[in-house]
Amino acid sequence: MSRFVQGTCVCTRTGRAGEAGGLGKADLSKAMSQDGASQFQEVIRQELELSVKKELEKILTTASSHEFEHTKKDLDGFRKLFHRFLQEKGPSVDWGKIQRPPEDSIQPYEKIKARGLPDNISSVLNKLVVVKLNGGLGTSMGCKGPKSLIGVRNENTFLDLTVQQIEHLNKTYNTDVPLVLMNSFNTDEDTKKILQKYNHCRVKIYTFNQSRYPRINKESLLPVAKDVSYSGENTEAWYPPGHGDIYASFYNSGLLDTFIGEGKEYIFVSNIDNLGATVDLYILNHLMNPPNGKRCEFVMEVTNKTRADVKGGTLTQYEGKLRLVEIAQVPKAHVDEFKSVSKFKIFNTNNLWISLAAVKRLQEQNAIDMEIIVNAKTLDGGLNVIQLETAVGAAIKSFENSLGINVPRSRFLPVKTTSDLLLVMSNLYSLNAGSLTMSEKREFPTVPLVKLGSSFTKVQDYLRRFESIPDMLELDHLTVSGDVTFGKNVSLKGTVIIIANHGDRIDIPPGAVLENKIVSGNLRILDH
């Protein structure tokens, strides 16, 4: 904790977090804005960095010989991020400099697809590596372990579907497209156990771990961890620092050099819970055989915003380069403008195509620039901490000849909640070789808006409340709130709102057809 002592600054670790004299970043920023104080504050900042360095060195001494090397890399990476965190002041973007991207910097997917495919598509595919971001847990859906192991369709998990998709590619085109999973320390062990079941599949699967960074006390800005362990009282002391960590971790794992040595040229990166993020041959062909002869180092798939996506990051032109702007970077006075569907029409799907050679070059030059996301958390014991994160798409401005491609909404099908899960489990979609496609029987291509209430949040509760998944081919909007269950073979059409008030229960009977209906009150179906 930092204290003022007769005009000097002494950093100590004594006292409790939050007691008088604790110097957080807000205090630093406030003090730094005062005239004549900047030099004094620089001393404070240096003292704080020195204190953090000493704490990290103490933590490193607790690492075993086999943990030492990768722990040192992690802590070195954290120190660099922490240094930047202390240096940066105010919003990371100047709103006045934000411009709409030039027309040719975001290409419509239809134009990319219209070029067709070359005869040698197999050799093009052999230049590709698929990377799935697999660091997240299923806790928000009430599940333990990696989110990728949740069953989403016909008892297939996210990981099953991913493996099926790539195996289908390899068999169809006689290729060798590998799958790489970026795990976190939260998901690595459970994921590796399950990978054995894919030994017979025609997909080479590799894994690497993203970094493990220490959470820092919000008041003292010093690490919460006392040693390298992440069990017992240290369980909450560490965190995976966002998917922007992929560049350093992939490089440090040795896999980047391995794939370049094998002649691979691009990675396709996406979230494992986005079921629309399949390998697209037209985009890959555009990368490998660009019409102007100049290859893109970074392609971001974007799609048109709806009112449900107003908080999504958008591509802008900033200081002559494409730049991803997230809502957290926007000055408060301009947030409504940022959310405007008319001004910023697209958002980032986090489906990214990135040149391996460019990642290697930029990583070795320490030239990948990503804005810091400051994520405040409260630990179970009540301690307020912050974790410093970065996002993979934010690096677009560091790459040469970047491009956005405006893809159909079907390439953005994330499953973040049980409401999303209901959509992908329903007859709105058909499953073929691991890929979900909208059913031809649905007359319009938009996805219904589904809002399931808190009684459905956990997957096990959600499954218990549906005897079978309803027919939703003609559904526009579904809202369910309270204690509601669905019998077998229910059909939902148009707008359906079902609200069971507190203490009431509604059982939708088997075979019921609800079309443009509001159901409320109490409806019980009892066995006799």
Side-chain angles (χ1 to χ4, degrees), residues 410-432:
S410 57
R411 290 192 58 74
F412 184 68
L413 188 59
V415 180
K416 304 291 184 190
T417 64
T418 49
S419 300
D420 299 329
L421 193 57
L422 179 62
L423 289 169
V424 300
M425 289 179 112
S426 76
N427 59 347
L428 285 165
Y429 292 94
S430 54
L431 179 66
N432 181 29

mmCIF file with all atom_site columns, all heavy atoms in Angstrom, residues 410-432:
data_model
loop_
_atom_site.group_PDB
_atom_site.id
_atom_site.type_symbol
_atom_site.label_atom_id
_atom_site.label_alt_id
_atom_site.label_comp_id
_atom_site.label_asym_id
_atom_site.label_entity_id
_atom_site.label_seq_id
_atom_site.pdbx_PDB_ins_code
_atom_site.Cartn_x
_atom_site.Cartn_y
_atom_site.Cartn_z
_atom_site.occupancy
_atom_site.B_iso_or_equiv
_atom_site.pdbx_formal_charge
_atom_site.auth_seq_id
_atom_site.auth_comp_id
_atom_site.auth_asym_id
_atom_site.auth_atom_id
_atom_site.pdbx_PDB_model_num
ATOM 1   N N   . SER A 1 410 ? -25.803 -15.910 -39.853 1.00 0.00 ? 410 SER A N   1
ATOM 2   C CA  . SER A 1 410 ? -25.695 -17.347 -39.543 1.00 0.00 ? 410 SER A CA  1
ATOM 3   C C   . SER A 1 410 ? -24.290 -17.719 -39.052 1.00 0.00 ? 410 SER A C   1
ATOM 4   O O   . SER A 1 410 ? -24.100 -18.768 -38.434 1.00 0.00 ? 410 SER A O   1
ATOM 5   C CB  . SER A 1 410 ? -26.053 -18.186 -40.772 1.00 0.00 ? 410 SER A CB  1
ATOM 6   O OG  . SER A 1 410 ? -25.211 -17.844 -41.862 1.00 0.00 ? 410 SER A OG  1
ATOM 7   N N   . ARG A 1 411 ? -23.287 -16.860 -39.314 1.00 0.00 ? 411 ARG A N   1
ATOM 8   C CA  . ARG A 1 411 ? -21.930 -17.153 -38.847 1.00 0.00 ? 411 ARG A CA  1
ATOM 9   C C   . ARG A 1 411 ? -21.704 -16.666 -37.416 1.00 0.00 ? 411 ARG A C   1
ATOM 10  O O   . ARG A 1 411 ? -20.607 -16.798 -36.876 1.00 0.00 ? 411 ARG A O   1
ATOM 11  C CB  . ARG A 1 411 ? -20.882 -16.562 -39.801 1.00 0.00 ? 411 ARG A CB  1
ATOM 12  C CG  . ARG A 1 411 ? -20.862 -17.308 -41.137 1.00 0.00 ? 411 ARG A CG  1
ATOM 13  C CD  . ARG A 1 411 ? -19.688 -16.981 -42.014 1.00 0.00 ? 411 ARG A CD  1
ATOM 14  N NE  . ARG A 1 411 ? -18.378 -17.217 -41.436 1.00 0.00 ? 411 ARG A NE  1
ATOM 15  C CZ  . ARG A 1 411 ? -17.822 -18.407 -41.251 1.00 0.00 ? 411 ARG A CZ  1
ATOM 16  N NH1 . ARG A 1 411 ? -18.481 -19.525 -41.581 1.00 0.00 ? 411 ARG A NH1 1
ATOM 17  N NH2 . ARG A 1 411 ? -16.613 -18.498 -40.728 1.00 0.00 ? 411 ARG A NH2 1
ATOM 18  N N   . PHE A 1 412 ? -22.739 -16.108 -36.821 1.00 0.00 ? 412 PHE A N   1
ATOM 19  C CA  . PHE A 1 412 ? -22.680 -15.677 -35.423 1.00 0.00 ? 412 PHE A CA  1
ATOM 20  C C   . PHE A 1 412 ? -23.834 -16.334 -34.684 1.00 0.00 ? 412 PHE A C   1
ATOM 21  O O   . PHE A 1 412 ? -24.959 -15.854 -34.698 1.00 0.00 ? 412 PHE A O   1
ATOM 22  C CB  . PHE A 1 412 ? -22.760 -14.151 -35.331 1.00 0.00 ? 412 PHE A CB  1
ATOM 23  C CG  . PHE A 1 412 ? -22.600 -13.627 -33.929 1.00 0.00 ? 412 PHE A CG  1
ATOM 24  C CD1 . PHE A 1 412 ? -21.390 -13.738 -33.260 1.00 0.00 ? 412 PHE A CD1 1
ATOM 25  C CD2 . PHE A 1 412 ? -23.655 -13.012 -33.270 1.00 0.00 ? 412 PHE A CD2 1
ATOM 26  C CE1 . PHE A 1 412 ? -21.240 -13.259 -31.957 1.00 0.00 ? 412 PHE A CE1 1
ATOM 27  C CE2 . PHE A 1 412 ? -23.520 -12.524 -31.987 1.00 0.00 ? 412 PHE A CE2 1
ATOM 28  C CZ  . PHE A 1 412 ? -22.303 -12.644 -31.329 1.00 0.00 ? 412 PHE A CZ  1
ATOM 29  N N   . LEU A 1 413 ? -23.542 -17.476 -34.075 1.00 0.00 ? 413 LEU A N   1
ATOM 30  C CA  . LEU A 1 413 ? -24.564 -18.244 -33.358 1.00 0.00 ? 413 LEU A CA  1
ATOM 31  C C   . LEU A 1 413 ? -24.004 -18.657 -31.984 1.00 0.00 ? 413 LEU A C   1
ATOM 32  O O   . LEU A 1 413 ? -23.738 -19.824 -31.717 1.00 0.00 ? 413 LEU A O   1
ATOM 33  C CB  . LEU A 1 413 ? -24.949 -19.478 -34.199 1.00 0.00 ? 413 LEU A CB  1
ATOM 34  C CG  . LEU A 1 413 ? -26.132 -20.320 -33.739 1.00 0.00 ? 413 LEU A CG  1
ATOM 35  C CD1 . LEU A 1 413 ? -27.397 -19.500 -33.657 1.00 0.00 ? 413 LEU A CD1 1
ATOM 36  C CD2 . LEU A 1 413 ? -26.327 -21.506 -34.684 1.00 0.00 ? 413 LEU A CD2 1
ATOM 37  N N   . PRO A 1 414 ? -23.793 -17.662 -31.119 1.00 0.00 ? 414 PRO A N   1
ATOM 38  C CA  . PRO A 1 414 ? -23.180 -17.973 -29.821 1.00 0.00 ? 414 PRO A CA  1
ATOM 39  C C   . PRO A 1 414 ? -24.199 -18.557 -28.849 1.00 0.00 ? 414 PRO A C   1
ATOM 40  O O   . PRO A 1 414 ? -25.387 -18.215 -28.903 1.00 0.00 ? 414 PRO A O   1
ATOM 41  C CB  . PRO A 1 414 ? -22.707 -16.593 -29.333 1.00 0.00 ? 414 PRO A CB  1
ATOM 42  C CG  . PRO A 1 414 ? -23.673 -15.629 -29.937 1.00 0.00 ? 414 PRO A CG  1
ATOM 43  C CD  . PRO A 1 414 ? -24.104 -16.235 -31.256 1.00 0.00 ? 414 PRO A CD  1
ATOM 44  N N   . VAL A 1 415 ? -23.726 -19.440 -27.993 1.00 0.00 ? 415 VAL A N   1
ATOM 45  C CA  . VAL A 1 415 ? -24.589 -19.999 -26.950 1.00 0.00 ? 415 VAL A CA  1
ATOM 46  C C   . VAL A 1 415 ? -24.044 -19.530 -25.605 1.00 0.00 ? 415 VAL A C   1
ATOM 47  O O   . VAL A 1 415 ? -23.105 -20.106 -25.058 1.00 0.00 ? 415 VAL A O   1
ATOM 48  C CB  . VAL A 1 415 ? -24.634 -21.537 -27.022 1.00 0.00 ? 415 VAL A CB  1
ATOM 49  C CG1 . VAL A 1 415 ? -25.537 -22.102 -25.923 1.00 0.00 ? 415 VAL A CG1 1
ATOM 50  C CG2 . VAL A 1 415 ? -25.136 -21.986 -28.399 1.00 0.00 ? 415 VAL A CG2 1
ATOM 51  N N   . LYS A 1 416 ? -24.612 -18.437 -25.110 1.00 0.00 ? 416 LYS A N   1
ATOM 52  C CA  . LYS A 1 416 ? -24.174 -17.846 -23.841 1.00 0.00 ? 416 LYS A CA  1
ATOM 53  C C   . LYS A 1 416 ? -25.142 -18.164 -22.707 1.00 0.00 ? 416 LYS A C   1
ATOM 54  O O   . LYS A 1 416 ? -24.787 -18.100 -21.537 1.00 0.00 ? 416 LYS A O   1
ATOM 55  C CB  . LYS A 1 416 ? -24.061 -16.320 -23.965 1.00 0.00 ? 416 LYS A CB  1
ATOM 56  C CG  . LYS A 1 416 ? -23.144 -15.834 -25.081 1.00 0.00 ? 416 LYS A CG  1
ATOM 57  C CD  . LYS A 1 416 ? -21.689 -16.140 -24.791 1.00 0.00 ? 416 LYS A CD  1
ATOM 58  C CE  . LYS A 1 416 ? -20.768 -15.572 -25.862 1.00 0.00 ? 416 LYS A CE  1
ATOM 59  N NZ  . LYS A 1 416 ? -19.376 -16.056 -25.714 1.00 0.00 ? 416 LYS A NZ  1
ATOM 60  N N   . THR A 1 417 ? -26.396 -18.464 -23.063 1.00 0.00 ? 417 THR A N   1
ATOM 61  C CA  . THR A 1 417 ? -27.450 -18.687 -22.066 1.00 0.00 ? 417 THR A CA  1
ATOM 62  C C   . THR A 1 417 ? -28.311 -19.873 -22.487 1.00 0.00 ? 417 THR A C   1
ATOM 63  O O   . THR A 1 417 ? -28.217 -20.357 -23.627 1.00 0.00 ? 417 THR A O   1
ATOM 64  C CB  . THR A 1 417 ? -28.369 -17.450 -21.973 1.00 0.00 ? 417 THR A CB  1
ATOM 65  O OG1 . THR A 1 417 ? -29.030 -17.292 -23.244 1.00 0.00 ? 417 THR A OG1 1
ATOM 66  C CG2 . THR A 1 417 ? -27.589 -16.174 -21.643 1.00 0.00 ? 417 THR A CG2 1
ATOM 67  N N   . THR A 1 418 ? -29.200 -20.298 -21.603 1.00 0.00 ? 418 THR A N   1
ATOM 68  C CA  . THR A 1 418 ? -30.116 -21.389 -21.957 1.00 0.00 ? 418 THR A CA  1
ATOM 69  C C   . THR A 1 418 ? -31.142 -20.913 -22.996 1.00 0.00 ? 418 THR A C   1
ATOM 70  O O   . THR A 1 418 ? -31.698 -21.734 -23.724 1.00 0.00 ? 418 THR A O   1
ATOM 71  C CB  . THR A 1 418 ? -30.837 -21.944 -20.719 1.00 0.00 ? 418 THR A CB  1
ATOM 72  O OG1 . THR A 1 418 ? -31.379 -20.856 -19.959 1.00 0.00 ? 418 THR A OG1 1
ATOM 73  C CG2 . THR A 1 418 ? -29.893 -22.745 -19.842 1.00 0.00 ? 418 THR A CG2 1
ATOM 74  N N   . SER A 1 419 ? -31.382 -19.613 -23.088 1.00 0.00 ? 419 SER A N   1
ATOM 75  C CA  . SER A 1 419 ? -32.261 -19.100 -24.160 1.00 0.00 ? 419 SER A CA  1
ATOM 76  C C   . SER A 1 419 ? -31.637 -19.389 -25.518 1.00 0.00 ? 419 SER A C   1
ATOM 77  O O   . SER A 1 419 ? -32.320 -19.815 -26.459 1.00 0.00 ? 419 SER A O   1
ATOM 78  C CB  . SER A 1 419 ? -32.472 -17.591 -23.998 1.00 0.00 ? 419 SER A CB  1
ATOM 79  O OG  . SER A 1 419 ? -33.068 -17.294 -22.753 1.00 0.00 ? 419 SER A OG  1
ATOM 80  N N   . ASP A 1 420 ? -30.310 -19.176 -25.622 1.00 0.00 ? 420 ASP A N   1
ATOM 81  C CA  . ASP A 1 420 ? -29.589 -19.519 -26.863 1.00 0.00 ? 420 ASP A CA  1
ATOM 82  C C   . ASP A 1 420 ? -29.617 -21.028 -27.090 1.00 0.00 ? 420 ASP A C   1
ATOM 83  O O   . ASP A 1 420 ? -29.745 -21.497 -28.226 1.00 0.00 ? 420 ASP A O   1
ATOM 84  C CB  . ASP A 1 420 ? -28.124 -19.066 -26.775 1.00 0.00 ? 420 ASP A CB  1
ATOM 85  C CG  . ASP A 1 420 ? -27.970 -17.569 -26.587 1.00 0.00 ? 420 ASP A CG  1
ATOM 86  O OD1 . ASP A 1 420 ? -28.823 -16.815 -27.069 1.00 0.00 ? 420 ASP A OD1 1
ATOM 87  O OD2 . ASP A 1 420 ? -26.986 -17.162 -25.929 1.00 0.00 ? 420 ASP A OD2 1
ATOM 88  N N   . LEU A 1 421 ? -29.472 -21.778 -26.000 1.00 0.00 ? 421 LEU A N   1
ATOM 89  C CA  . LEU A 1 421 ? -29.434 -23.241 -26.088 1.00 0.00 ? 421 LEU A CA  1
ATOM 90  C C   . LEU A 1 421 ? -30.748 -23.781 -26.646 1.00 0.00 ? 421 LEU A C   1
ATOM 91  O O   . LEU A 1 421 ? -30.765 -24.712 -27.467 1.00 0.00 ? 421 LEU A O   1
ATOM 92  C CB  . LEU A 1 421 ? -29.156 -23.826 -24.702 1.00 0.00 ? 421 LEU A CB  1
ATOM 93  C CG  . LEU A 1 421 ? -28.769 -25.296 -24.602 1.00 0.00 ? 421 LEU A CG  1
ATOM 94  C CD1 . LEU A 1 421 ? -27.544 -25.604 -25.445 1.00 0.00 ? 421 LEU A CD1 1
ATOM 95  C CD2 . LEU A 1 421 ? -28.513 -25.686 -23.145 1.00 0.00 ? 421 LEU A CD2 1
ATOM 96  N N   . LEU A 1 422 ? -31.869 -23.180 -26.219 1.00 0.00 ? 422 LEU A N   1
ATOM 97  C CA  . LEU A 1 422 ? -33.179 -23.614 -26.714 1.00 0.00 ? 422 LEU A CA  1
ATOM 98  C C   . LEU A 1 422 ? -33.259 -23.458 -28.239 1.00 0.00 ? 422 LEU A C   1
ATOM 99  O O   . LEU A 1 422 ? -33.757 -24.341 -28.936 1.00 0.00 ? 422 LEU A O   1
ATOM 100 C CB  . LEU A 1 422 ? -34.291 -22.793 -26.035 1.00 0.00 ? 422 LEU A CB  1
ATOM 101 C CG  . LEU A 1 422 ? -35.722 -23.131 -26.467 1.00 0.00 ? 422 LEU A CG  1
ATOM 102 C CD1 . LEU A 1 422 ? -36.073 -24.584 -26.131 1.00 0.00 ? 422 LEU A CD1 1
ATOM 103 C CD2 . LEU A 1 422 ? -36.726 -22.176 -25.818 1.00 0.00 ? 422 LEU A CD2 1
ATOM 104 N N   . LEU A 1 423 ? -32.729 -22.354 -28.741 1.00 0.00 ? 423 LEU A N   1
ATOM 105 C CA  . LEU A 1 423 ? -32.749 -22.125 -30.194 1.00 0.00 ? 423 LEU A CA  1
ATOM 106 C C   . LEU A 1 423 ? -31.982 -23.207 -30.940 1.00 0.00 ? 423 LEU A C   1
ATOM 107 O O   . LEU A 1 423 ? -32.488 -23.786 -31.913 1.00 0.00 ? 423 LEU A O   1
ATOM 108 C CB  . LEU A 1 423 ? -32.136 -20.757 -30.515 1.00 0.00 ? 423 LEU A CB  1
ATOM 109 C CG  . LEU A 1 423 ? -32.948 -19.516 -30.121 1.00 0.00 ? 423 LEU A CG  1
ATOM 110 C CD1 . LEU A 1 423 ? -32.093 -18.258 -30.245 1.00 0.00 ? 423 LEU A CD1 1
ATOM 111 C CD2 . LEU A 1 423 ? -34.192 -19.388 -30.999 1.00 0.00 ? 423 LEU A CD2 1
ATOM 112 N N   . VAL A 1 424 ? -30.743 -23.511 -30.488 1.00 0.00 ? 424 VAL A N   1
ATOM 113 C CA  . VAL A 1 424 ? -29.908 -24.453 -31.251 1.00 0.00 ? 424 VAL A CA  1
ATOM 114 C C   . VAL A 1 424 ? -30.347 -25.904 -31.060 1.00 0.00 ? 424 VAL A C   1
ATOM 115 O O   . VAL A 1 424 ? -30.021 -26.765 -31.883 1.00 0.00 ? 424 VAL A O   1
ATOM 116 C CB  . VAL A 1 424 ? -28.398 -24.287 -30.933 1.00 0.00 ? 424 VAL A CB  1
ATOM 117 C CG1 . VAL A 1 424 ? -27.932 -22.886 -31.279 1.00 0.00 ? 424 VAL A CG1 1
ATOM 118 C CG2 . VAL A 1 424 ? -28.063 -24.637 -29.500 1.00 0.00 ? 424 VAL A CG2 1
ATOM 119 N N   . MET A 1 425 ? -31.103 -26.177 -29.988 1.00 0.00 ? 425 MET A N   1
ATOM 120 C CA  . MET A 1 425 ? -31.608 -27.548 -29.792 1.00 0.00 ? 425 MET A CA  1
ATOM 121 C C   . MET A 1 425 ? -32.907 -27.794 -30.563 1.00 0.00 ? 425 MET A C   1
ATOM 122 O O   . MET A 1 425 ? -33.338 -28.935 -30.705 1.00 0.00 ? 425 MET A O   1
ATOM 123 C CB  . MET A 1 425 ? -31.873 -27.801 -28.297 1.00 0.00 ? 425 MET A CB  1
ATOM 124 C CG  . MET A 1 425 ? -30.626 -27.919 -27.449 1.00 0.00 ? 425 MET A CG  1
ATOM 125 S SD  . MET A 1 425 ? -31.043 -28.184 -25.699 1.00 0.00 ? 425 MET A SD  1
ATOM 126 C CE  . MET A 1 425 ? -30.479 -29.852 -25.464 1.00 0.00 ? 425 MET A CE  1
ATOM 127 N N   . SER A 1 426 ? -33.513 -26.709 -31.047 1.00 0.00 ? 426 SER A N   1
ATOM 128 C CA  . SER A 1 426 ? -34.847 -26.824 -31.644 1.00 0.00 ? 426 SER A CA  1
ATOM 129 C C   . SER A 1 426 ? -34.789 -27.205 -33.115 1.00 0.00 ? 426 SER A C   1
ATOM 130 O O   . SER A 1 426 ? -33.720 -27.296 -33.716 1.00 0.00 ? 426 SER A O   1
ATOM 131 C CB  . SER A 1 426 ? -35.580 -25.482 -31.508 1.00 0.00 ? 426 SER A CB  1
ATOM 132 O OG  . SER A 1 426 ? -35.065 -24.562 -32.463 1.00 0.00 ? 426 SER A OG  1
ATOM 133 N N   . ASN A 1 427 ? -35.995 -27.375 -33.689 1.00 0.00 ? 427 ASN A N   1
ATOM 134 C CA  . ASN A 1 427 ? -36.077 -27.729 -35.116 1.00 0.00 ? 427 ASN A CA  1
ATOM 135 C C   . ASN A 1 427 ? -35.852 -26.523 -36.034 1.00 0.00 ? 427 ASN A C   1
ATOM 136 O O   . ASN A 1 427 ? -35.990 -26.626 -37.251 1.00 0.00 ? 427 ASN A O   1
ATOM 137 C CB  . ASN A 1 427 ? -37.416 -28.390 -35.434 1.00 0.00 ? 427 ASN A CB  1
ATOM 138 C CG  . ASN A 1 427 ? -38.613 -27.495 -35.113 1.00 0.00 ? 427 ASN A CG  1
ATOM 139 O OD1 . ASN A 1 427 ? -38.478 -26.476 -34.428 1.00 0.00 ? 427 ASN A OD1 1
ATOM 140 N ND2 . ASN A 1 427 ? -39.787 -27.882 -35.595 1.00 0.00 ? 427 ASN A ND2 1
ATOM 141 N N   . LEU A 1 428 ? -35.476 -25.369 -35.453 1.00 0.00 ? 428 LEU A N   1
ATOM 142 C CA  . LEU A 1 428 ? -35.063 -24.238 -36.295 1.00 0.00 ? 428 LEU A CA  1
ATOM 143 C C   . LEU A 1 428 ? -33.788 -24.576 -37.066 1.00 0.00 ? 428 LEU A C   1
ATOM 144 O O   . LEU A 1 428 ? -33.521 -23.997 -38.115 1.00 0.00 ? 428 LEU A O   1
ATOM 145 C CB  . LEU A 1 428 ? -34.786 -23.008 -35.418 1.00 0.00 ? 428 LEU A CB  1
ATOM 146 C CG  . LEU A 1 428 ? -35.999 -22.276 -34.846 1.00 0.00 ? 428 LEU A CG  1
ATOM 147 C CD1 . LEU A 1 428 ? -35.566 -21.341 -33.730 1.00 0.00 ? 428 LEU A CD1 1
ATOM 148 C CD2 . LEU A 1 428 ? -36.721 -21.511 -35.948 1.00 0.00 ? 428 LEU A CD2 1
ATOM 149 N N   . TYR A 1 429 ? -33.007 -25.496 -36.504 1.00 0.00 ? 429 TYR A N   1
ATOM 150 C CA  . TYR A 1 429 ? -31.716 -25.842 -37.103 1.00 0.00 ? 429 TYR A CA  1
ATOM 151 C C   . TYR A 1 429 ? -31.646 -27.327 -37.410 1.00 0.00 ? 429 TYR A C   1
ATOM 152 O O   . TYR A 1 429 ? -32.196 -28.159 -36.692 1.00 0.00 ? 429 TYR A O   1
ATOM 153 C CB  . TYR A 1 429 ? -30.571 -25.470 -36.161 1.00 0.00 ? 429 TYR A CB  1
ATOM 154 C CG  . TYR A 1 429 ? -30.410 -23.985 -35.980 1.00 0.00 ? 429 TYR A CG  1
ATOM 155 C CD1 . TYR A 1 429 ? -31.018 -23.341 -34.909 1.00 0.00 ? 429 TYR A CD1 1
ATOM 156 C CD2 . TYR A 1 429 ? -29.683 -23.226 -36.888 1.00 0.00 ? 429 TYR A CD2 1
ATOM 157 C CE1 . TYR A 1 429 ? -30.893 -21.952 -34.753 1.00 0.00 ? 429 TYR A CE1 1
ATOM 158 C CE2 . TYR A 1 429 ? -29.559 -21.847 -36.743 1.00 0.00 ? 429 TYR A CE2 1
ATOM 159 C CZ  . TYR A 1 429 ? -30.159 -21.223 -35.675 1.00 0.00 ? 429 TYR A CZ  1
ATOM 160 O OH  . TYR A 1 429 ? -30.049 -19.872 -35.536 1.00 0.00 ? 429 TYR A OH  1
ATOM 161 N N   . SER A 1 430 ? -30.925 -27.645 -38.483 1.00 0.00 ? 430 SER A N   1
ATOM 162 C CA  . SER A 1 430 ? -30.618 -29.049 -38.767 1.00 0.00 ? 430 SER A CA  1
ATOM 163 C C   . SER A 1 430 ? -29.107 -29.222 -38.614 1.00 0.00 ? 430 SER A C   1
ATOM 164 O O   . SER A 1 430 ? -28.334 -28.291 -38.849 1.00 0.00 ? 430 SER A O   1
ATOM 165 C CB  . SER A 1 430 ? -31.079 -29.443 -40.164 1.00 0.00 ? 430 SER A CB  1
ATOM 166 O OG  . SER A 1 430 ? -30.550 -28.561 -41.119 1.00 0.00 ? 430 SER A OG  1
ATOM 167 N N   . LEU A 1 431 ? -28.695 -30.410 -38.204 1.00 0.00 ? 431 LEU A N   1
ATOM 168 C CA  . LEU A 1 431 ? -27.288 -30.691 -37.931 1.00 0.00 ? 431 LEU A CA  1
ATOM 169 C C   . LEU A 1 431 ? -26.735 -31.611 -39.009 1.00 0.00 ? 431 LEU A C   1
ATOM 170 O O   . LEU A 1 431 ? -27.289 -32.664 -39.290 1.00 0.00 ? 431 LEU A O   1
ATOM 171 C CB  . LEU A 1 431 ? -27.162 -31.357 -36.547 1.00 0.00 ? 431 LEU A CB  1
ATOM 172 C CG  . LEU A 1 431 ? -25.768 -31.751 -36.088 1.00 0.00 ? 431 LEU A CG  1
ATOM 173 C CD1 . LEU A 1 431 ? -24.901 -30.517 -35.877 1.00 0.00 ? 431 LEU A CD1 1
ATOM 174 C CD2 . LEU A 1 431 ? -25.852 -32.546 -34.776 1.00 0.00 ? 431 LEU A CD2 1
ATOM 175 N N   . ASN A 1 432 ? -25.621 -31.194 -39.599 1.00 0.00 ? 432 ASN A N   1
ATOM 176 C CA  . ASN A 1 432 ? -24.978 -32.024 -40.619 1.00 0.00 ? 432 ASN A CA  1
ATOM 177 C C   . ASN A 1 432 ? -23.462 -31.906 -40.465 1.00 0.00 ? 432 ASN A C   1
ATOM 178 O O   . ASN A 1 432 ? -22.912 -30.811 -40.590 1.00 0.00 ? 432 ASN A O   1
ATOM 179 C CB  . ASN A 1 432 ? -25.417 -31.578 -42.027 1.00 0.00 ? 432 ASN A CB  1
ATOM 180 C CG  . ASN A 1 432 ? -24.796 -32.435 -43.112 1.00 0.00 ? 432 ASN A CG  1
ATOM 181 O OD1 . ASN A 1 432 ? -24.496 -33.608 -42.907 1.00 0.00 ? 432 ASN A OD1 1
ATOM 182 N ND2 . ASN A 1 432 ? -24.567 -31.839 -44.269 1.00 0.00 ? 432 ASN A ND2 1
#
